[in-house]
Amino acid sequence: MTYTFHVVITPGSRSWRARCPALESHGAVTGGETKEEALTHIYSALVMILGKMNADGTTLPPDDAVPDSI
């Protein structure tokens, strides 16, 4: 199954933060030393979260559009 959710990546002073606003309350927040690492980590987190939600029969929330995003 394929899902599409917005992900927000923000730089910090020494790391990058990645979060998925629609699934943030389910733990879709992570980071990494590089932008690529943060993206890899959020992808892994989303796979686990969505897999658990599907297994539990939980309804997926709608994607949250991110203002001023591309």
Side-chain angles (χ1 to χ4, degrees):
M1 202 169 266
T2 301
Y3 302 100
T4 302
F5 286 97
H6 283 86
V7 171
V8 178
I9 306 291
T10 51
S13 61
R14 296 180 184 211
S15 63
W16 287 80
R17 182 174 185 249
R19 65 186 181 88
C20 174
L23 296 166
E24 202 165 354
S25 65
H26 296 274
V29 179
T30 188
E33 290 183 19
T34 65
K35 184 177 182 179
E36 292 76 17
E37 186 175 290
L39 285 169
T40 298
H41 290 172
I42 195 67
Y43 175 82
S44 297
L46 291 172
V47 167
M48 287 187 289
I49 291 166
L50 293 169
K52 175 145 179 44
M53 291 178 82
N54 278 330
D56 293 346
T58 305
T59 302
L60 299 178
D63 185 32
D64 289 339
V66 180
D68 301 323
S69 66
I70 297 175

